[in-house]
Amino acid sequence: MRIWCFHCFTDEKEEEVKNRGGVSHRLKKQSTMDNNDINNKAGDFVDFDLNERELGVAEERWSLCEENGAELERVWSSHHHMVQGESSNAVATAGDAVVAEDCTMEEADHDSYHKRARVYSGLAECRSASGISSDAGNSVSSIERSVSFGVASSSRTDADMFCQNFILNYTGRKDGKKDDGDDNGSSESEDFEVHIDLTDDLLHMVFSFLNHIDLCRSAMVCRQWRVASAHEDFWKVLNFENMRISIEQFEDMCHRYPNATEVNVYGAPAGNALAMKAATTLRNLEVLIIGKGPISESFFQALEECNMLRSVTVNEAILGNGAQEIHLSHDRLRELKITKCRVMRLSLRCPQLRSLSLKRSNMSQAILNCPLLQVLDIASCHKLLDAAIRSAAISCPQLESLDVSNCSCVSDESLREIAQACAGLHVLNASYCPNISLESVHLPMLTVLKLHSCEGITSASMTWIANSHSLEVLELDNCNLLTSVALHLSRLQSISLVHCRKFTELNLQSAMLSSITVSNCPALRRITIASNSLRRLALQKQENLTTLVLQCQSLQEVDLSDCESLSNTVCEIFSDDGGCPMLKSLILDNCESLTEVRFCNSSLASLSLVGCRAVTSLELKCPRIEQICLDGCDHLETALFQPVALRSLNLGICPKLSVLSIEAPYMVSLELKGCGVLSEASIICPMLTSLDASFCSQLTDDCLSATTASCPLIESLVLMSCPSIGSDGLSSLNGLPNLTVLDLSYTFLMNLEPIFKSCIQLKVLKLQACKYLTDSSLEPLYKEGALPALEELDLSYGTLCQTAIDDLLAYCTHLTHLSLNGCVNMHDLDWGSTNVQLLDYFGGYISSENTQEVAETANRLLQNLNCVGCPNIRKVSIPPAARFYHLSSLNLSLSVNLKEVDLACSNLVLLNLSNCCSLELLKLVCPRLASLFLQSCNMDEAGVEAAISGCCSLETLDLRFCPKISSVSMGRFRTVCPSLKRVFSSPNLLQD
């Protein structure tokens, strides 16, 4: 069994290697003592011989200790002493034993591994070190093995892991069984683990997906995996790019894998010698990559003997001495790349060569004898003169692709001769060639033409380009003298015109045109395109574009953003009578010259008019349009959508809108918020569920009545600040059986009777700042049981008296949310006295015998009570008898005259008393209170401590800007209330 372990492929510097100690240093020193007859030319690698018994022990110890560097050094140190005492007889018989082993390798491998995976207990290679030491003699024979070690880094990179690869030329045991170690220890390990033995076929399939780095990592798992990872199928490609490897080790690799087909020694220190060794040793070599260093002339001579070679790549190299002629002759070579190389002259005789790249190589002449060459790349060969380029190309009559980009010497005369000699030329890249204009250049078979930054290309050049009837791709970027392009090419598929500063007109007719790139052409004024294949057209930022003519039957997306000069006539192009019957998306953002937009298109699905500030009229007859964006159209006055497939529409960004007509059978949400001058509105949306007409001050009762008649499914209606809406309009709400949300805030309503009669299912009613409502306006709520489904009521900033508010709280027990913010007529909320409570809430005195009956029926569902900014509240008292069992949030902030708060609410979670600067007494019996806000309150420490002592669930306490609270009190608060997690205080106090 022969094992080769190497650290040779590392890109670390030799100076760093020499400074490292540890195992490798000891091995190197011991090798010098025991192997004086070995000439180590590399200087960094050491060979020393071990018999099979010793190596088996060493391998087992290596697998047990490789995770622990200190233990690894100890094991190999002990192994060092064992090597010194080894008998020379083992060395003398090693050769015969290795031969015998090699002869039985395939047979043993076949017998030891079966086609079915086995599951068994115990793994000999994972036994304890003591077991290995005692039984190692029974599991291995005394055959000598050769091991090579190098200097390794303590921190492994991917390259270092590649260096740790264990490549095995192995044999089985002499009895033909698998070498699993000593079988005697298997019974001891049966109780500890279960191991799945994978077959060779399965391992081979799995390893076929791994790269070399992962193969090397897998090789360190166990002996079977090392053998499987070393299969030659995985090492057809020997990649040593930018790795340190000696010639001896590379030669050994070539002998181990003679069927390797690809070698990469790019960046290797001795790349020239390694490449020559590969060319002379690997008879099946097909691909060779070399570079970053000097390449001798003998290397190219050696390639002639490599008959199977198909591809050679030489990159960033000095060929010869850089001032001599290099000859290469090969009968089967098909691909050759000599890029970024320095050479005086290059002579090639390769009758089978198909592709040649000399890109960015510094040479003055290239002599080619390649009759079958099809692809020639001599881009950026600045020293090649016009005659040399012409001579090289003409010598290749089968040429199909030519790249002469950035060759400033190329002339029209050379291109004419090349076109005559290479009749089958399909691809030409002449970018950055300032001397060409394509005058009299006939390229009938050309399919791809790239002319970036060609200063000689003008509109006259289009005449000669038009003769290339097979042209498919044309790139004319940065042709500054080009003024117009008029081409009628039936096969043209793609054209690019970027940064053509003088370009004014584009006229294209091609049935197969599918891609047009026009950008940053500030002088462009007119575009005419006829194509049956074009699907997307983007012409952004063509500031002077005024005329657009399209006959594109398949066009679906058009982007004309920032085309500031486009006029209203562009709408005709995209209507049904225009030339784009399949159009689905149209973007006209920031087209500031548009004033009237009218589209009648049966296929349009999306329209964007963002930033079109001059548009005053919009008319859409697009039955399939589903999305429209009008942001920035703040001068829109008339909008007609008849019909459209919109599901939602926001016109609140059009403050000057006065006339609106919408016919949208699928619309569910319409927002008209802020359309203050809207006086005529026809809304026919049978599926509409939400309508927001806030601040539509001109909206009349007639308009509201017509809307409710045509939109019977409305559920949410917002009429905030609509002063023109009166009783007649509200009476029409009886046609909305599903209405649940109604907002009439900031209106001049005096009578709510139409609402009580029409909106039986109402759940949310907002009446903020309705100052004309009288005390009796809400009597139907608490006297007649109106709006039985009402859950949320907002009476903020109203003028209701204390009695009306008390009656609401007493009788409307089904309310869950009540807002009374800013109610100046609301006084104390005191439920402390039973007699007062019953008198206030039930309209008269109730005898004691009826008290229990009434109390049982007075359970309130109120969850949120907001009394923010009520200046006349002085006392709030909610005892358990008040039966606020569901109250979870109480907000009394900004009640500046509030002095006393006494709460016993079992489910209260949040209490906000911020800015209640007069607060003096706070009593809380709220076991579930989690957040208490006391910002800017004048309570003292004792009062706060007493208040929170009854709140066993309190987590957040806000005491910022409380002048009577000192920093030393924070700890006391936490002691009184252990559940506290967050205490907020002023900057001068303790921070949490």
Side-chain angles (χ1 to χ4, degrees):
M1 178 175 181
R2 178 176 176 82
I3 303 177
W4 186 55
C5 170
F6 59 94
H7 292 256
C8 53
F9 316 135
T10 175
D11 48 7
E12 298 177 0
K13 296 182 179 179
E14 185 175 358
E15 290 77 12
E16 297 175 355
V17 173
K18 290 182 179 180
N19 291 333
R20 295 191 178 97
V23 179
S24 300
H25 178 70
R26 295 173 185 164
L27 295 176
K28 184 173 180 180
K29 180 178 179 181
Q30 180 63 28
S31 175
T32 305
M33 297 171 58
D34 296 342
N35 300 279
N36 294 327
D37 57 333
I38 298 176
N39 182 16
N40 188 355
K41 296 181 181 180
D44 292 335
F45 304 92
V46 183
D47 296 333
F48 51 113
D49 299 325
L50 310 174
N51 62 28
E52 186 175 7
R53 172 185 174 85
E54 294 165 347
L55 187 55
V57 175
E59 288 175 346
E60 300 292 344
R61 291 187 180 182
W62 178 282
S63 64
L64 290 170
C65 304
E66 65 176 353
E67 299 298 332
N68 190 327
E71 183 66 9
L72 182 61
E73 292 190 11
R74 183 187 63 78
V75 173
W76 283 102
S77 178
S78 63
H79 179 69
H80 160 72
H81 295 291
M82 184 165 51
V83 172
Q84 287 182 331
E86 182 57 36
S87 173
S88 60
N89 294 332
V91 178
T93 61
D96 296 337
V98 171
V99 172
E101 263 191 352
D102 291 339
C103 295
T104 61
M105 179 179 63
E106 295 180 0
E107 185 178 5
D109 185 53
H110 175 75
D111 294 338
S112 59
Y113 296 99
H114 305 287
K115 297 303 179 182
R116 184 177 61 186
R118 295 182 297 159
V119 181
Y120 60 94
S121 298
L123 181 61
E125 294 178 0
C126 298
R127 293 177 301 174
S128 63
S130 60
I132 294 172
S133 300
S134 61
D135 299 330
N138 298 329
S139 61
V140 293
S141 63
S142 59
I143 298 177
E144 185 184 52
R145 309 176 186 190
S146 174
V147 185
S148 298
F149 287 90
V151 182
S153 171
S154 59
S155 61
R156 299 177 179 178
T157 62
D158 281 347
D160 296 329
M161 289 303 301
F162 189 77
C163 305
Q164 295 288 348
N165 180 30
F166 287 76
I167 302 175
L168 302 172
N169 288 333
Y170 65 95
T171 60
R173 294 173 50 164
K174 291 184 177 180
D175 57 1
K177 296 182 180 180
K178 178 183 176 182
D179 186 9
D180 285 333
D182 191 2
D183 295 336
N184 297 333
S186 61
S187 60
E188 298 178 0
S189 60
E190 283 181 355
D191 298 334
F192 301 100
E193 61 183 59
V194 176
H195 173 66
I196 299 178
D197 186 11
L198 302 178
T199 65
D200 278 353
D201 293 342
L202 183 57
L203 275 180
H204 190 90
M205 180 182 67
V206 173
F207 284 0
S208 65
F209 296 97
L210 304 182
N211 56 30
H212 285 173
I213 300 297
D214 294 332
L215 282 172
C216 296
R217 289 172 175 159
S218 302
M220 301 175 69
V221 173
C222 65
R223 198 169 290 164
Q224 181 192 9
W225 284 34
R226 287 203 299 270
V227 175
S229 65
H231 198 282
E232 65 175 0
D233 287 352
F234 309 139
W235 299 91
K236 293 289 187 181
V237 178
L238 303 181
N239 188 354
F240 302 106
E241 182 175 349
N242 295 321
M243 294 185 181
R244 295 178 61 243
I245 177 174
S246 68
I247 298 176
E248 291 79 5
Q249 291 163 343
F250 182 77
E251 184 177 5
D252 195 2
M253 286 289 292
C254 292
H255 285 303
R256 293 178 184 278
Y257 302 104
N259 294 323
T261 59
E262 181 175 341
V263 172
N264 186 350
V265 291
Y266 175 81
N272 182 70
L274 298 179
M276 291 185 63
K277 184 63 66 176
T280 56
T281 305
L282 302 175
R283 295 304 177 184
N284 294 323
L285 185 62
E286 297 180 0
V287 179
L288 179 59
I289 302 174
I290 186 175
K292 274 193 176 180
I295 306 298
S296 64
E297 185 178 5
S298 58
F299 163 74
F300 295 96
Q301 296 174 359
L303 294 181
E304 299 179 7
E305 304 299 327
C306 195
N307 296 327
M308 301 300 294
L309 198 60
R310 295 293 182 269
S311 174
V312 175
T313 299
V314 182
N315 187 29
E316 295 183 287
I318 302 175
L319 307 187
N321 58 10
Q324 67 181 97
E325 182 175 351
I326 297 297
H327 299 272
L328 175 59
S329 177
H330 200 285
D331 293 335
R332 295 189 177 183
L333 193 64
R334 289 180 172 270
E335 182 181 7
L336 177 61
K337 295 181 181 180
I338 302 178
T339 57
K340 300 181 184 179
C341 295
R342 190 172 69 182
V343 61
M344 179 62 69
R345 292 163 54 92
L346 184 64
S347 177
L348 302 178
R349 192 198 67 79
C350 303
Q352 297 296 325
L353 194 64
R354 297 296 194 276
S355 175
L356 173 62
S357 176
L358 303 175
K359 189 173 183 179
R360 299 180 65 181
S361 290
N362 191 3
M363 65 184 70
S364 60
Q365 190 171 1
I367 301 174
L368 306 182
N369 185 3
C370 309
L372 299 182
L373 189 67
Q374 297 176 352
V375 179
L376 177 59
D377 184 357
I378 52 178
S380 301
C381 293
H382 299 291
K383 286 193 175 182
L384 277 180
L385 300 178
D386 186 35
I389 296 175
R390 180 168 62 250
S391 175
I394 290 176
S395 63
C396 306
Q398 301 296 323
L399 199 63
E400 295 180 0
S401 175
L402 176 61
D403 189 346
V404 293
S405 59
N406 215 9
C407 294
S408 56
C409 297
V410 177
S411 64
D412 285 336
E413 182 180 356
S414 294
L415 292 181
R416 283 193 291 268
E417 295 189 20
I418 293 173
Q420 293 176 1
C422 306
L425 190 64
H426 294 314
V427 179
L428 175 61
N429 187 351
S431 301
Y432 304 98
C433 296
N435 298 325
I436 65 171
S437 63
L438 297 184
E439 182 180 356
S440 301
V441 178
H442 298 276
L443 295 167
M445 302 299 295
L446 199 65
T447 58
V448 178
L449 179 59
K450 298 182 180 181
L451 299 171
H452 297 194
S453 300
C454 293
E455 298 178 0
I457 297 297
T458 62
S459 299
S461 304
M462 298 301 107
T463 303
W464 305 104
I465 294 177
N467 294 328
S468 301
H469 300 290
S470 300
L471 192 64
E472 298 177 358
V473 178
L474 177 60
E475 298 180 5
L476 299 170
D477 299 348
N478 294 292
C479 293
N480 292 328
L481 298 181
L482 186 63
T483 58
S484 63
V485 173
L487 295 174
H488 302 268
L489 298 171
S490 59
R491 297 188 178 181
L492 186 65
Q493 299 179 12
S494 174
I495 185 171
S496 177
L497 292 159
V498 179
H499 290 289
C500 298
R501 300 188 179 280
K502 296 184 178 181
F503 186 59
T504 60
E505 184 175 354
L506 174 63
N507 189 336
L508 296 175
Q509 293 186 19
S510 174
M512 301 180 65
L513 187 64
S514 59
S515 175
I516 297 178
T517 303
V518 179
S519 177
N520 293 316
C521 298
L524 184 60
R525 295 180 179 276
R526 181 181 179 87
I527 294 179
T528 302
I529 301 174
S531 172
N532 293 330
S533 301
L534 188 64
R535 293 180 177 273
R536 187 178 188 277
L537 178 62
L539 300 171
Q540 302 100 326
K541 296 183 178 180
Q542 304 305 318
E543 299 176 357
N544 292 314
L545 182 63
T546 57
T547 305
L548 182 63
V549 179
L550 299 177
Q551 290 295 329
C552 303
Q553 302 301 315
S554 300
L555 188 62
Q556 297 183 4
E557 300 179 21
V558 177
D559 187 350
L560 299 173
S561 301
D562 299 294
C563 294
E564 300 177 357
S565 300
L566 279 178
S567 61
N568 297 331
T569 56
V570 73
C571 301
E572 301 175 1
I573 301 171
F574 301 115
S575 296
D576 286 337
D577 296 335
C580 306
M582 301 295 293
L583 186 66
K584 293 183 178 180
S585 175
L586 177 59
I587 300 177
L588 296 172
D589 296 348
N590 300 312
C591 294
E592 297 182 356
S593 296
L594 294 177
T595 57
E596 296 182 358
V597 178
R598 290 183 175 85
F599 290 112
C600 180
N601 191 311
S602 58
S603 63
L604 189 64
S606 175
L607 174 63
S608 179
L609 296 170
V610 176
C612 296
R613 302 185 182 280
V615 174
T616 59
S617 176
L618 174 63
E619 182 177 351
L620 297 179
K621 295 182 179 180
C622 306
R624 295 187 179 181
I625 192 168
E626 298 179 354
Q627 183 179 359
I628 183 171
C629 188
L630 300 173
D631 295 349
C633 298
D634 45 16
H635 288 81
L636 185 64
E637 299 177 357
T638 303
L640 306 177
F641 303 90
Q642 300 173 338
V644 292
L646 296 171
R647 295 183 179 273
S648 63
L649 179 62
N650 182 7
L651 294 175
I653 51 180
C654 305
K656 296 185 177 180
L657 186 65
S658 59
V659 178
L660 173 64
S661 178
I662 300 178
E663 183 181 343
Y666 307 108
M667 182 173 292
V668 296
S669 175
L670 176 61
E671 184 171 341
L672 303 175
K673 185 177 182 179
C675 297
V677 296
L678 182 63
S679 57
E680 299 180 18
S682 174
I683 303 174
I684 304 176
C685 304
M687 301 296 293
L688 191 67
T689 59
S690 176
L691 174 61
D692 186 349
S694 304
F695 304 100
C696 294
S697 56
Q698 303 297 324
L699 199 63
T700 61
D701 289 342
D702 294 339
C703 181
L704 180 59
S705 300
T707 301
T708 56
S710 59
C711 308
L713 300 181
I714 292 180
E715 299 176 0
S716 174
L717 179 61
V718 180
L719 299 174
M720 179 189 296
S721 295
C722 294
S724 300
I725 298 296
S727 299
D728 294 340
L730 295 179
S731 299
S732 66
L733 299 182
N734 58 4
L736 303 177
N738 297 325
L739 187 64
T740 58
V741 179
L742 178 61
D743 189 347
L744 296 172
S745 302
Y746 296 92
T747 57
F748 300 150
L749 294 177
M750 300 177 62
N751 184 12
L752 297 179
E753 192 67 25
I755 299 175
F756 297 146
K757 293 181 178 180
S758 304
C759 308
I760 305 299
Q761 301 298 326
L762 200 64
K763 294 182 178 181
V764 179
L765 177 60
K766 296 184 179 182
L767 299 170
Q768 293 184 28
C770 293
K771 299 183 181 298
Y772 291 91
L773 290 178
T774 62
D775 295 341
S776 60
S777 299
L778 297 176
E779 285 185 359
L781 281 177
Y782 53 84
K783 287 187 177 182
E784 301 176 8
L787 304 181
L790 190 66
E791 298 178 356
E792 182 176 344
L793 178 63
D794 191 346
L795 298 173
S796 301
Y797 310 107
T799 58
L800 296 179
C801 67
Q802 178 71 36
T803 303
I805 295 174
D806 290 342
D807 290 341
L808 281 173
L809 291 172
Y811 289 101
C812 297
T813 57
H814 53 276
L815 288 178
T816 61
H817 294 72
L818 179 61
S819 294
L820 299 170
N821 303 327
C823 291
V824 295
N825 295 329
M826 186 172 63
H827 301 288
D828 297 347
L829 296 178
D830 187 2
W831 289 277
S833 173
T834 303
N835 292 335
V836 175
Q837 172 187 348
L838 298 177
L839 179 62
D840 289 343
Y841 292 167
F842 298 100
Y845 179 76
I846 299 177
S847 61
S848 59
E849 59 269 16
N850 296 329
T851 300
Q852 181 66 27
E853 179 182 355
V854 175
E856 292 178 355
T857 61
N859 291 336
R860 297 174 177 82
L861 300 178
L862 191 64
Q863 300 176 10
N864 294 75
L865 177 60
N866 296 319
C867 299
V868 178
C870 296
N872 295 321
I873 294 182
R874 291 177 173 81
K875 181 180 179 181
V876 175
S877 177
I878 305 180
R883 309 183 72 82
F884 280 96
Y885 295 143
H886 300 280
L887 187 63
S888 60
S889 176
L890 177 59
N891 192 346
L892 298 169
S893 60
L894 295 172
S895 298
V896 294
N897 293 316
L898 182 63
K899 294 183 178 182
E900 181 180 348
V901 175
D902 186 357
L903 302 178
C905 301
S906 57
N907 288 310
L908 190 65
V909 176
L910 185 147
L911 175 60
N912 191 349
L913 297 171
S914 301
N915 295 289
C916 295
C917 53
S918 300
L919 186 62
E920 298 175 354
L921 179 62
L922 178 60
K923 295 181 180 180
L924 299 177
V925 182
C926 305
R928 296 187 180 181
L929 186 65
S931 300
L932 176 59
F933 298 91
L934 297 172
Q935 293 184 34
S936 302
C937 292
N938 289 324
M939 289 190 63
D940 56 13
E941 299 172 0
V944 174
E945 184 176 344
I948 65 176
S949 61
C951 304
C952 55
S953 300
L954 189 63
E955 296 181 355
T956 302
L957 178 61
D958 192 344
L959 297 172
R960 287 175 288 185
F961 310 109
C962 294
K964 296 182 180 180
I965 306 295
S966 63
S967 58
V968 297
S969 303
M970 300 298 108
R972 293 170 50 192
F973 295 153
R974 292 181 183 274
T975 303
V976 172
C977 187
S979 61
L980 271 176
K981 296 180 179 180
R982 295 170 293 275
V983 179
F984 299 96
S985 57
S986 298
N988 60 328
L989 301 181
L990 180 64
Q991 297 294 324
D992 183 73

